[in-house]
Amino acid sequence: MGAVLAGMPAQAAAPEASTLQTGVADPLGSMPRIDAPIALMVDVGSGRVLFSRDPHRRFVPASITKIMTSYVAFDLISKGKLRLDQRIPIRRETFRKWRNVGSTMFLPAEAQPTVAELIEGIVTVSANDACVVLAEGATGSVSAFTALMNGAAAGLGMRDSHFNTPNGWMDEGQTYVTAADLATLSGALMTRFPDLYRRFYGHSEMTWGGITQPNHNPLYGHVEGADGVKTGFTNEAGYGFVGSAERKGRRLVMVLGGYDRPIDRTNQSRAFIEWGFAAWDAKPLFAKGANVGVAAVQGGGERTVSLVAPRDLTITMPRGVATKYTLSVRYKGPLKAPIAKGETVASLLVRVPGEPVHVLPLVAGADVERGGVFSRLRDGTMGLVGL
């Protein structure tokens, strides 16, 4: 079911195609050099792809894998299946296998770090040992944890990704991702678990056990609003990076894969994200919590439920270019009770001439309990009247 939202046909505009063709406001004309064979930039608020190069090509993520590790940990915490203050002992086999292997927290054999300390180590210093300790402590085994990683990937629609380890250590290509999938994952990490994301991401260094180590994120200290996400390197994968920054409520995520030299990853990622903010503008559509529309409900105590923006929703256009757009709401209806407040039940479709349709989530604004006999009779009668 769907309907165009009344009163929102959009802005009067200069012609989109002619403006871009003449180069008056062509964001690609001002774009810096990007040598990475895989490159993608997405505006999270609108879902618009600002730049794309081979986004569905599979590649080995190395430590970028740890974004999914933190996503699964955040999900377990949000469901009450894992506590931040929970202490996890280290198995002897795990200590022997991962002691000083690649990036590490230098966890001693007798340590019992908290879940919060392990996540900090994973996110800030890319600790391989912490990933395995967390996986085993959270689910009993690495295989059980990677099963959750792959289940989460499937739930997010990451069709071209697979995880065989929680830390991205070399596994003969059994772990692979795409830039498109990593952008999806990173956006979900930030929007579904905003409090946990702000708590653990964006730190330039970490001290644990008397040892201080830096975060190798090339944006930190150089790009305003930078707070994520993860670098990765192995000889097998080359130098990769998923980066993000937020300014005035607008968030960009970029994915770069396959650099031969870290200096190129550093310099070009900084220039790339600055271009994303400078060459593109975001027009607000709905603020977080705004009522966007209503949906019909069947079998519930209420016959309708409000549809709410779960976050700020925007449309992104090249700077200096105005354009027409239309908005419509779509859902499979009528929705069937019970419905939980905050449950994703509909989509806002944003149509811009010459662009793919952008699909943004809408959630239920209230709980709708299952109705009694009268409600079901009422819905049945209304259905007969409509025949």
PDB file of all heavy atoms in Angstrom, residues 63-75 122 145-146 148-156 158 161-163 165-166 177 181-182 184-186 189 201 229-230:
ATOM      1  N   SER A  63      41.026  -6.607   9.005  1.00  0.00           N
ATOM      2  CA  SER A  63      40.468  -6.160  10.289  1.00  0.00           C
ATOM      3  C   SER A  63      39.167  -5.374  10.154  1.00  0.00           C
ATOM      4  O   SER A  63      38.506  -5.111  11.165  1.00  0.00           O
ATOM      5  CB  SER A  63      41.503  -5.309  11.034  1.00  0.00           C
ATOM      6  OG  SER A  63      42.519  -6.129  11.578  1.00  0.00           O
ATOM      7  N   ILE A  64      38.790  -4.994   8.960  1.00  0.00           N
ATOM      8  CA  ILE A  64      37.483  -4.354   8.766  1.00  0.00           C
ATOM      9  C   ILE A  64      36.366  -5.302   9.204  1.00  0.00           C
ATOM     10  O   ILE A  64      35.261  -4.875   9.548  1.00  0.00           O
ATOM     11  CB  ILE A  64      37.316  -3.911   7.302  1.00  0.00           C
ATOM     12  CG1 ILE A  64      38.323  -2.793   6.990  1.00  0.00           C
ATOM     13  CG2 ILE A  64      35.911  -3.434   7.015  1.00  0.00           C
ATOM     14  CD1 ILE A  64      38.362  -2.390   5.526  1.00  0.00           C
ATOM     15  N   THR A  65      36.670  -6.594   9.220  1.00  0.00           N
ATOM     16  CA  THR A  65      35.746  -7.597   9.763  1.00  0.00           C
ATOM     17  C   THR A  65      35.211  -7.195  11.132  1.00  0.00           C
ATOM     18  O   THR A  65      34.065  -7.508  11.493  1.00  0.00           O
ATOM     19  CB  THR A  65      36.469  -8.953   9.880  1.00  0.00           C
ATOM     20  OG1 THR A  65      36.860  -9.381   8.584  1.00  0.00           O
ATOM     21  CG2 THR A  65      35.593 -10.013  10.531  1.00  0.00           C
ATOM     22  N   LYS A  66      36.024  -6.499  11.913  1.00  0.00           N
ATOM     23  CA  LYS A  66      35.684  -6.195  13.303  1.00  0.00           C
ATOM     24  C   LYS A  66      34.497  -5.239  13.432  1.00  0.00           C
ATOM     25  O   LYS A  66      33.939  -5.103  14.524  1.00  0.00           O
ATOM     26  CB  LYS A  66      36.914  -5.655  14.017  1.00  0.00           C
ATOM     27  CG  LYS A  66      37.991  -6.741  14.182  1.00  0.00           C
ATOM     28  CD  LYS A  66      39.381  -6.200  14.422  1.00  0.00           C
ATOM     29  CE  LYS A  66      40.382  -7.350  14.422  1.00  0.00           C
ATOM     30  NZ  LYS A  66      41.779  -6.917  14.345  1.00  0.00           N
ATOM     31  N   ILE A  67      34.098  -4.593  12.338  1.00  0.00           N
ATOM     32  CA  ILE A  67      32.855  -3.816  12.382  1.00  0.00           C
ATOM     33  C   ILE A  67      31.690  -4.758  12.671  1.00  0.00           C
ATOM     34  O   ILE A  67      30.824  -4.462  13.501  1.00  0.00           O
ATOM     35  CB  ILE A  67      32.626  -3.059  11.056  1.00  0.00           C
ATOM     36  CG1 ILE A  67      33.784  -2.109  10.764  1.00  0.00           C
ATOM     37  CG2 ILE A  67      31.303  -2.282  11.122  1.00  0.00           C
ATOM     38  CD1 ILE A  67      33.670  -1.420   9.415  1.00  0.00           C
ATOM     39  N   MET A  68      31.661  -5.899  11.995  1.00  0.00           N
ATOM     40  CA  MET A  68      30.593  -6.862  12.244  1.00  0.00           C
ATOM     41  C   MET A  68      30.719  -7.475  13.635  1.00  0.00           C
ATOM     42  O   MET A  68      29.713  -7.748  14.297  1.00  0.00           O
ATOM     43  CB  MET A  68      30.583  -7.956  11.185  1.00  0.00           C
ATOM     44  CG  MET A  68      29.516  -9.029  11.388  1.00  0.00           C
ATOM     45  SD  MET A  68      27.817  -8.398  11.470  1.00  0.00           S
ATOM     46  CE  MET A  68      27.379  -8.410   9.728  1.00  0.00           C
ATOM     47  N   THR A  69      31.943  -7.672  14.106  1.00  0.00           N
ATOM     48  CA  THR A  69      32.143  -8.196  15.461  1.00  0.00           C
ATOM     49  C   THR A  69      31.512  -7.264  16.486  1.00  0.00           C
ATOM     50  O   THR A  69      30.804  -7.701  17.403  1.00  0.00           O
ATOM     51  CB  THR A  69      33.641  -8.376  15.748  1.00  0.00           C
ATOM     52  OG1 THR A  69      34.223  -9.197  14.733  1.00  0.00           O
ATOM     53  CG2 THR A  69      33.872  -8.998  17.110  1.00  0.00           C
ATOM     54  N   SER A  70      31.734  -5.967  16.330  1.00  0.00           N
ATOM     55  CA  SER A  70      31.138  -5.014  17.268  1.00  0.00           C
ATOM     56  C   SER A  70      29.628  -4.933  17.071  1.00  0.00           C
ATOM     57  O   SER A  70      28.885  -4.762  18.051  1.00  0.00           O
ATOM     58  CB  SER A  70      31.784  -3.630  17.115  1.00  0.00           C
ATOM     59  OG  SER A  70      31.499  -3.052  15.862  1.00  0.00           O
ATOM     60  N   TYR A  71      29.153  -5.068  15.844  1.00  0.00           N
ATOM     61  CA  TYR A  71      27.701  -5.038  15.592  1.00  0.00           C
ATOM     62  C   TYR A  71      27.011  -6.176  16.351  1.00  0.00           C
ATOM     63  O   TYR A  71      25.985  -5.962  17.016  1.00  0.00           O
ATOM     64  CB  TYR A  71      27.425  -5.151  14.097  1.00  0.00           C
ATOM     65  CG  TYR A  71      25.954  -5.119  13.742  1.00  0.00           C
ATOM     66  CD1 TYR A  71      25.330  -3.917  13.429  1.00  0.00           C
ATOM     67  CD2 TYR A  71      25.181  -6.279  13.722  1.00  0.00           C
ATOM     68  CE1 TYR A  71      23.978  -3.875  13.116  1.00  0.00           C
ATOM     69  CE2 TYR A  71      23.836  -6.251  13.422  1.00  0.00           C
ATOM     70  CZ  TYR A  71      23.236  -5.043  13.110  1.00  0.00           C
ATOM     71  OH  TYR A  71      21.894  -5.021  12.808  1.00  0.00           O
ATOM     72  N   VAL A  72      27.560  -7.383  16.252  1.00  0.00           N
ATOM     73  CA  VAL A  72      26.973  -8.529  16.948  1.00  0.00           C
ATOM     74  C   VAL A  72      27.037  -8.321  18.460  1.00  0.00           C
ATOM     75  O   VAL A  72      26.074  -8.607  19.186  1.00  0.00           O
ATOM     76  CB  VAL A  72      27.677  -9.831  16.536  1.00  0.00           C
ATOM     77  CG1 VAL A  72      27.251 -10.988  17.439  1.00  0.00           C
ATOM     78  CG2 VAL A  72      27.376 -10.159  15.078  1.00  0.00           C
ATOM     79  N   ALA A  73      28.155  -7.799  18.946  1.00  0.00           N
ATOM     80  CA  ALA A  73      28.275  -7.537  20.386  1.00  0.00           C
ATOM     81  C   ALA A  73      27.232  -6.513  20.835  1.00  0.00           C
ATOM     82  O   ALA A  73      26.569  -6.693  21.872  1.00  0.00           O
ATOM     83  CB  ALA A  73      29.675  -7.039  20.715  1.00  0.00           C
ATOM     84  N   PHE A  74      27.069  -5.434  20.069  1.00  0.00           N
ATOM     85  CA  PHE A  74      26.076  -4.415  20.414  1.00  0.00           C
ATOM     86  C   PHE A  74      24.672  -5.019  20.417  1.00  0.00           C
ATOM     87  O   PHE A  74      23.841  -4.691  21.273  1.00  0.00           O
ATOM     88  CB  PHE A  74      26.124  -3.253  19.425  1.00  0.00           C
ATOM     89  CG  PHE A  74      27.353  -2.389  19.528  1.00  0.00           C
ATOM     90  CD1 PHE A  74      27.554  -1.347  18.637  1.00  0.00           C
ATOM     91  CD2 PHE A  74      28.304  -2.605  20.509  1.00  0.00           C
ATOM     92  CE1 PHE A  74      28.675  -0.536  18.719  1.00  0.00           C
ATOM     93  CE2 PHE A  74      29.442  -1.802  20.605  1.00  0.00           C
ATOM     94  CZ  PHE A  74      29.626  -0.758  19.701  1.00  0.00           C
ATOM     95  N   ASP A  75      24.394  -5.887  19.457  1.00  0.00           N
ATOM     96  CA  ASP A  75      23.076  -6.514  19.377  1.00  0.00           C
ATOM     97  C   ASP A  75      22.822  -7.391  20.602  1.00  0.00           C
ATOM     98  O   ASP A  75      21.730  -7.349  21.189  1.00  0.00           O
ATOM     99  CB  ASP A  75      22.979  -7.336  18.100  1.00  0.00           C
ATOM    100  CG  ASP A  75      21.577  -7.885  17.867  1.00  0.00           C
ATOM    101  OD1 ASP A  75      20.620  -7.097  17.917  1.00  0.00           O
ATOM    102  OD2 ASP A  75      21.447  -9.100  17.639  1.00  0.00           O
ATOM    103  N   ILE A 122      38.869  -3.981  20.613  1.00  0.00           N
ATOM    104  CA  ILE A 122      38.541  -4.365  19.241  1.00  0.00           C
ATOM    105  C   ILE A 122      38.383  -3.129  18.360  1.00  0.00           C
ATOM    106  O   ILE A 122      38.929  -3.054  17.252  1.00  0.00           O
ATOM    107  CB  ILE A 122      37.245  -5.201  19.229  1.00  0.00           C
ATOM    108  CG1 ILE A 122      37.492  -6.558  19.893  1.00  0.00           C
ATOM    109  CG2 ILE A 122      36.716  -5.384  17.811  1.00  0.00           C
ATOM    110  CD1 ILE A 122      36.214  -7.299  20.249  1.00  0.00           C
ATOM    111  N   PHE A 145      29.827 -17.750  17.303  1.00  0.00           N
ATOM    112  CA  PHE A 145      29.817 -16.301  17.128  1.00  0.00           C
ATOM    113  C   PHE A 145      29.785 -15.927  15.656  1.00  0.00           C
ATOM    114  O   PHE A 145      29.042 -15.017  15.251  1.00  0.00           O
ATOM    115  CB  PHE A 145      31.039 -15.670  17.804  1.00  0.00           C
ATOM    116  CG  PHE A 145      30.951 -14.177  17.953  1.00  0.00           C
ATOM    117  CD1 PHE A 145      30.326 -13.618  19.053  1.00  0.00           C
ATOM    118  CD2 PHE A 145      31.505 -13.334  17.002  1.00  0.00           C
ATOM    119  CE1 PHE A 145      30.237 -12.234  19.198  1.00  0.00           C
ATOM    120  CE2 PHE A 145      31.421 -11.954  17.134  1.00  0.00           C
ATOM    121  CZ  PHE A 145      30.788 -11.401  18.238  1.00  0.00           C
ATOM    122  N   THR A 146      30.580 -16.612  14.828  1.00  0.00           N
ATOM    123  CA  THR A 146      30.556 -16.298  13.398  1.00  0.00           C
ATOM    124  C   THR A 146      29.213 -16.666  12.779  1.00  0.00           C
ATOM    125  O   THR A 146      28.797 -16.047  11.795  1.00  0.00           O
ATOM    126  CB  THR A 146      31.701 -17.000  12.648  1.00  0.00           C
ATOM    127  OG1 THR A 146      31.646 -18.410  12.892  1.00  0.00           O
ATOM    128  CG2 THR A 146      33.061 -16.459  13.088  1.00  0.00           C
ATOM    129  N   LEU A 148      26.430 -16.055  14.269  1.00  0.00           N
ATOM    130  CA  LEU A 148      25.665 -14.842  14.530  1.00  0.00           C
ATOM    131  C   LEU A 148      26.070 -13.730  13.560  1.00  0.00           C
ATOM    132  O   LEU A 148      25.216 -12.950  13.103  1.00  0.00           O
ATOM    133  CB  LEU A 148      25.879 -14.372  15.963  1.00  0.00           C
ATOM    134  CG  LEU A 148      25.305 -15.241  17.080  1.00  0.00           C
ATOM    135  CD1 LEU A 148      25.570 -14.588  18.440  1.00  0.00           C
ATOM    136  CD2 LEU A 148      23.812 -15.460  16.896  1.00  0.00           C
ATOM    137  N   MET A 149      27.349 -13.648  13.240  1.00  0.00           N
ATOM    138  CA  MET A 149      27.811 -12.644  12.286  1.00  0.00           C
ATOM    139  C   MET A 149      27.154 -12.846  10.925  1.00  0.00           C
ATOM    140  O   MET A 149      26.661 -11.895  10.304  1.00  0.00           O
ATOM    141  CB  MET A 149      29.336 -12.701  12.155  1.00  0.00           C
ATOM    142  CG  MET A 149      30.090 -12.336  13.428  1.00  0.00           C
ATOM    143  SD  MET A 149      31.874 -12.672  13.343  1.00  0.00           S
ATOM    144  CE  MET A 149      32.421 -11.337  12.255  1.00  0.00           C
ATOM    145  N   ASN A 150      27.119 -14.077  10.475  1.00  0.00           N
ATOM    146  CA  ASN A 150      26.510 -14.360   9.172  1.00  0.00           C
ATOM    147  C   ASN A 150      24.995 -14.208   9.210  1.00  0.00           C
ATOM    148  O   ASN A 150      24.380 -13.789   8.222  1.00  0.00           O
ATOM    149  CB  ASN A 150      26.907 -15.755   8.696  1.00  0.00           C
ATOM    150  CG  ASN A 150      28.369 -15.820   8.287  1.00  0.00           C
ATOM    151  OD1 ASN A 150      28.849 -14.984   7.549  1.00  0.00           O
ATOM    152  ND2 ASN A 150      29.079 -16.814   8.799  1.00  0.00           N
ATOM    153  N   GLY A 151      24.389 -14.528  10.353  1.00  0.00           N
ATOM    154  CA  GLY A 151      22.963 -14.297  10.499  1.00  0.00           C
ATOM    155  C   GLY A 151      22.630 -12.815  10.455  1.00  0.00           C
ATOM    156  O   GLY A 151      21.639 -12.402   9.836  1.00  0.00           O
ATOM    157  N   ALA A 152      23.463 -12.005  11.102  1.00  0.00           N
ATOM    158  CA  ALA A 152      23.256 -10.563  11.065  1.00  0.00           C
ATOM    159  C   ALA A 152      23.435 -10.021   9.652  1.00  0.00           C
ATOM    160  O   ALA A 152      22.678  -9.155   9.201  1.00  0.00           O
ATOM    161  CB  ALA A 152      24.227  -9.869  12.024  1.00  0.00           C
ATOM    162  N   ALA A 153      24.440 -10.544   8.940  1.00  0.00           N
ATOM    163  CA  ALA A 153      24.671 -10.122   7.561  1.00  0.00           C
ATOM    164  C   ALA A 153      23.449 -10.419   6.698  1.00  0.00           C
ATOM    165  O   ALA A 153      23.005  -9.587   5.900  1.00  0.00           O
ATOM    166  CB  ALA A 153      25.916 -10.797   7.004  1.00  0.00           C
ATOM    167  N   ALA A 154      22.898 -11.606   6.863  1.00  0.00           N
ATOM    168  CA  ALA A 154      21.709 -11.975   6.093  1.00  0.00           C
ATOM    169  C   ALA A 154      20.537 -11.063   6.435  1.00  0.00           C
ATOM    170  O   ALA A 154      19.789 -10.625   5.555  1.00  0.00           O
ATOM    171  CB  ALA A 154      21.345 -13.430   6.355  1.00  0.00           C
ATOM    172  N   GLY A 155      20.374 -10.758   7.717  1.00  0.00           N
ATOM    173  CA  GLY A 155      19.279  -9.899   8.143  1.00  0.00           C
ATOM    174  C   GLY A 155      19.394  -8.484   7.611  1.00  0.00           C
ATOM    175  O   GLY A 155      18.380  -7.808   7.406  1.00  0.00           O
ATOM    176  N   LEU A 156      20.618  -8.033   7.382  1.00  0.00           N
ATOM    177  CA  LEU A 156      20.847  -6.692   6.854  1.00  0.00           C
ATOM    178  C   LEU A 156      20.828  -6.655   5.331  1.00  0.00           C
ATOM    179  O   LEU A 156      20.959  -5.578   4.732  1.00  0.00           O
ATOM    180  CB  LEU A 156      22.196  -6.154   7.356  1.00  0.00           C
ATOM    181  CG  LEU A 156      22.281  -5.842   8.849  1.00  0.00           C
ATOM    182  CD1 LEU A 156      23.717  -5.550   9.257  1.00  0.00           C
ATOM    183  CD2 LEU A 156      21.371  -4.674   9.210  1.00  0.00           C
ATOM    184  N   MET A 158      23.093  -8.220   3.405  1.00  0.00           N
ATOM    185  CA  MET A 158      24.473  -8.247   2.898  1.00  0.00           C
ATOM    186  C   MET A 158      24.675  -9.554   2.121  1.00  0.00           C
ATOM    187  O   MET A 158      25.235 -10.515   2.623  1.00  0.00           O
ATOM    188  CB  MET A 158      25.452  -8.125   4.070  1.00  0.00           C
ATOM    189  CG  MET A 158      25.335  -6.824   4.840  1.00  0.00           C
ATOM    190  SD  MET A 158      26.283  -6.795   6.391  1.00  0.00           S
ATOM    191  CE  MET A 158      27.975  -7.038   5.792  1.00  0.00           C
ATOM    192  N   SER A 161      28.574 -11.113   1.337  1.00  0.00           N
ATOM    193  CA  SER A 161      29.549 -11.139   2.421  1.00  0.00           C
ATOM    194  C   SER A 161      29.439 -12.437   3.200  1.00  0.00           C
ATOM    195  O   SER A 161      28.363 -13.017   3.318  1.00  0.00           O
ATOM    196  CB  SER A 161      29.327  -9.957   3.384  1.00  0.00           C
ATOM    197  OG  SER A 161      29.529  -8.729   2.730  1.00  0.00           O
ATOM    198  N   HIS A 162      30.579 -12.874   3.726  1.00  0.00           N
ATOM    199  CA  HIS A 162      30.615 -14.065   4.572  1.00  0.00           C
ATOM    200  C   HIS A 162      31.737 -13.899   5.578  1.00  0.00           C
ATOM    201  O   HIS A 162      32.807 -13.374   5.261  1.00  0.00           O
ATOM    202  CB  HIS A 162      30.859 -15.333   3.743  1.00  0.00           C
ATOM    203  CG  HIS A 162      30.853 -16.575   4.570  1.00  0.00           C
ATOM    204  ND1 HIS A 162      32.015 -17.134   5.063  1.00  0.00           N
ATOM    205  CD2 HIS A 162      29.839 -17.356   5.014  1.00  0.00           C
ATOM    206  CE1 HIS A 162      31.712 -18.215   5.766  1.00  0.00           C
ATOM    207  NE2 HIS A 162      30.404 -18.373   5.748  1.00  0.00           N
ATOM    208  N   PHE A 163      31.487 -14.356   6.809  1.00  0.00           N
ATOM    209  CA  PHE A 163      32.467 -14.201   7.884  1.00  0.00           C
ATOM    210  C   PHE A 163      32.834 -15.565   8.443  1.00  0.00           C
ATOM    211  O   PHE A 163      31.967 -16.350   8.825  1.00  0.00           O
ATOM    212  CB  PHE A 163      31.897 -13.307   8.985  1.00  0.00           C
ATOM    213  CG  PHE A 163      31.586 -11.916   8.509  1.00  0.00           C
ATOM    214  CD1 PHE A 163      30.304 -11.586   8.086  1.00  0.00           C
ATOM    215  CD2 PHE A 163      32.573 -10.955   8.452  1.00  0.00           C
ATOM    216  CE1 PHE A 163      30.010 -10.314   7.629  1.00  0.00           C
ATOM    217  CE2 PHE A 163      32.298  -9.678   7.998  1.00  0.00           C
ATOM    218  CZ  PHE A 163      31.014  -9.353   7.579  1.00  0.00           C
ATOM    219  N   THR A 165      35.794 -15.661  10.592  1.00  0.00           N
ATOM    220  CA  THR A 165      36.529 -15.349  11.817  1.00  0.00           C
ATOM    221  C   THR A 165      35.944 -14.072  12.419  1.00  0.00           C
ATOM    222  O   THR A 165      35.365 -13.250  11.709  1.00  0.00           O
ATOM    223  CB  THR A 165      38.032 -15.110  11.555  1.00  0.00           C
ATOM    224  OG1 THR A 165      38.201 -13.823  10.925  1.00  0.00           O
ATOM    225  CG2 THR A 165      38.618 -16.187  10.665  1.00  0.00           C
ATOM    226  N   PRO A 166      36.143 -13.862  13.733  1.00  0.00           N
ATOM    227  CA  PRO A 166      35.681 -12.610  14.336  1.00  0.00           C
ATOM    228  C   PRO A 166      36.689 -11.483  14.226  1.00  0.00           C
ATOM    229  O   PRO A 166      36.380 -10.349  14.580  1.00  0.00           O
ATOM    230  CB  PRO A 166      35.449 -13.000  15.798  1.00  0.00           C
ATOM    231  CG  PRO A 166      36.446 -14.081  16.048  1.00  0.00           C
ATOM    232  CD  PRO A 166      36.584 -14.828  14.757  1.00  0.00           C
ATOM    233  N   VAL A 177      33.808  -9.578   1.754  1.00  0.00           N
ATOM    234  CA  VAL A 177      32.775  -8.549   1.850  1.00  0.00           C
ATOM    235  C   VAL A 177      32.745  -7.784   0.534  1.00  0.00           C
ATOM    236  O   VAL A 177      33.546  -8.022  -0.369  1.00  0.00           O
ATOM    237  CB  VAL A 177      33.067  -7.555   3.001  1.00  0.00           C
ATOM    238  CG1 VAL A 177      33.002  -8.230   4.356  1.00  0.00           C
ATOM    239  CG2 VAL A 177      34.422  -6.892   2.798  1.00  0.00           C
ATOM    240  N   ASP A 181      28.047  -3.787   0.912  1.00  0.00           N
ATOM    241  CA  ASP A 181      27.643  -4.449   2.146  1.00  0.00           C
ATOM    242  C   ASP A 181      28.234  -3.767   3.375  1.00  0.00           C
ATOM    243  O   ASP A 181      27.580  -3.638   4.419  1.00  0.00           O
ATOM    244  CB  ASP A 181      28.060  -5.917   2.118  1.00  0.00           C
ATOM    245  CG  ASP A 181      27.150  -6.776   1.249  1.00  0.00           C
ATOM    246  OD1 ASP A 181      26.125  -6.262   0.778  1.00  0.00           O
ATOM    247  OD2 ASP A 181      27.480  -7.961   1.042  1.00  0.00           O
ATOM    248  N   LEU A 182      29.494  -3.312   3.272  1.00  0.00           N
ATOM    249  CA  LEU A 182      30.115  -2.640   4.417  1.00  0.00           C
ATOM    250  C   LEU A 182      29.442  -1.306   4.713  1.00  0.00           C
ATOM    251  O   LEU A 182      29.316  -0.917   5.878  1.00  0.00           O
ATOM    252  CB  LEU A 182      31.607  -2.425   4.153  1.00  0.00           C
ATOM    253  CG  LEU A 182      32.483  -3.670   4.242  1.00  0.00           C
ATOM    254  CD1 LEU A 182      33.908  -3.343   3.803  1.00  0.00           C
ATOM    255  CD2 LEU A 182      32.482  -4.247   5.651  1.00  0.00           C
ATOM    256  N   THR A 184      26.267  -0.692   4.183  1.00  0.00           N
ATOM    257  CA  THR A 184      25.021  -1.092   4.838  1.00  0.00           C
ATOM    258  C   THR A 184      25.253  -1.423   6.304  1.00  0.00           C
ATOM    259  O   THR A 184      24.523  -0.977   7.193  1.00  0.00           O
ATOM    260  CB  THR A 184      24.412  -2.306   4.120  1.00  0.00           C
ATOM    261  OG1 THR A 184      24.057  -1.942   2.782  1.00  0.00           O
ATOM    262  CG2 THR A 184      23.181  -2.826   4.848  1.00  0.00           C
ATOM    263  N   LEU A 185      26.276  -2.224   6.568  1.00  0.00           N
ATOM    264  CA  LEU A 185      26.600  -2.623   7.937  1.00  0.00           C
ATOM    265  C   LEU A 185      26.943  -1.420   8.796  1.00  0.00           C
ATOM    266  O   LEU A 185      26.449  -1.286   9.928  1.00  0.00           O
ATOM    267  CB  LEU A 185      27.770  -3.609   7.908  1.00  0.00           C
ATOM    268  CG  LEU A 185      28.412  -3.962   9.252  1.00  0.00           C
ATOM    269  CD1 LEU A 185      27.402  -4.629  10.177  1.00  0.00           C
ATOM    270  CD2 LEU A 185      29.623  -4.866   9.037  1.00  0.00           C
ATOM    271  N   SER A 186      27.776  -0.536   8.288  1.00  0.00           N
ATOM    272  CA  SER A 186      28.206   0.622   9.080  1.00  0.00           C
ATOM    273  C   SER A 186      27.045   1.545   9.388  1.00  0.00           C
ATOM    274  O   SER A 186      26.918   2.051  10.508  1.00  0.00           O
ATOM    275  CB  SER A 186      29.313   1.368   8.332  1.00  0.00           C
ATOM    276  OG  SER A 186      30.437   0.536   8.136  1.00  0.00           O
ATOM    277  N   LEU A 189      25.053  -0.079  12.126  1.00  0.00           N
ATOM    278  CA  LEU A 189      25.772   0.003  13.401  1.00  0.00           C
ATOM    279  C   LEU A 189      25.507   1.345  14.086  1.00  0.00           C
ATOM    280  O   LEU A 189      25.259   1.410  15.299  1.00  0.00           O
ATOM    281  CB  LEU A 189      27.274  -0.172  13.149  1.00  0.00           C
ATOM    282  CG  LEU A 189      28.200  -0.101  14.356  1.00  0.00           C
ATOM    283  CD1 LEU A 189      28.141  -1.396  15.153  1.00  0.00           C
ATOM    284  CD2 LEU A 189      29.639   0.186  13.916  1.00  0.00           C
ATOM    285  N   TYR A 201      33.214   4.125  19.707  1.00  0.00           N
ATOM    286  CA  TYR A 201      33.904   4.585  18.492  1.00  0.00           C
ATOM    287  C   TYR A 201      34.358   6.035  18.642  1.00  0.00           C
ATOM    288  O   TYR A 201      33.814   6.800  19.428  1.00  0.00           O
ATOM    289  CB  TYR A 201      32.994   4.432  17.275  1.00  0.00           C
ATOM    290  CG  TYR A 201      32.989   3.026  16.713  1.00  0.00           C
ATOM    291  CD1 TYR A 201      32.142   2.056  17.240  1.00  0.00           C
ATOM    292  CD2 TYR A 201      33.846   2.663  15.681  1.00  0.00           C
ATOM    293  CE1 TYR A 201      32.141   0.756  16.735  1.00  0.00           C
ATOM    294  CE2 TYR A 201      33.855   1.366  15.172  1.00  0.00           C
ATOM    295  CZ  TYR A 201      33.009   0.420  15.711  1.00  0.00           C
ATOM    296  OH  TYR A 201      33.015  -0.868  15.218  1.00  0.00           O
ATOM    297  N   VAL A 229      35.581   4.423  10.895  1.00  0.00           N
ATOM    298  CA  VAL A 229      35.032   3.259  11.556  1.00  0.00           C
ATOM    299  C   VAL A 229      36.168   2.260  11.783  1.00  0.00           C
ATOM    300  O   VAL A 229      36.483   1.933  12.896  1.00  0.00           O
ATOM    301  CB  VAL A 229      33.904   2.598  10.717  1.00  0.00           C
ATOM    302  CG1 VAL A 229      33.285   1.402  11.474  1.00  0.00           C
ATOM    303  CG2 VAL A 229      32.828   3.608  10.357  1.00  0.00           C
ATOM    304  N   LYS A 230      36.815   1.752  10.702  1.00  0.00           N
ATOM    305  CA  LYS A 230      37.830   0.717  10.889  1.00  0.00           C
ATOM    306  C   LYS A 230      38.763   0.633   9.691  1.00  0.00           C
ATOM    307  O   LYS A 230      38.335   0.644   8.536  1.00  0.00           O
ATOM    308  CB  LYS A 230      37.153  -0.650  11.087  1.00  0.00           C
ATOM    309  CG  LYS A 230      38.084  -1.723  11.600  1.00  0.00           C
ATOM    310  CD  LYS A 230      38.458  -1.491  13.045  1.00  0.00           C
ATOM    311  CE  LYS A 230      39.606  -2.373  13.485  1.00  0.00           C
ATOM    312  NZ  LYS A 230      40.901  -2.025  12.849  1.00  0.00           N
TER     313      LYS A 230
END
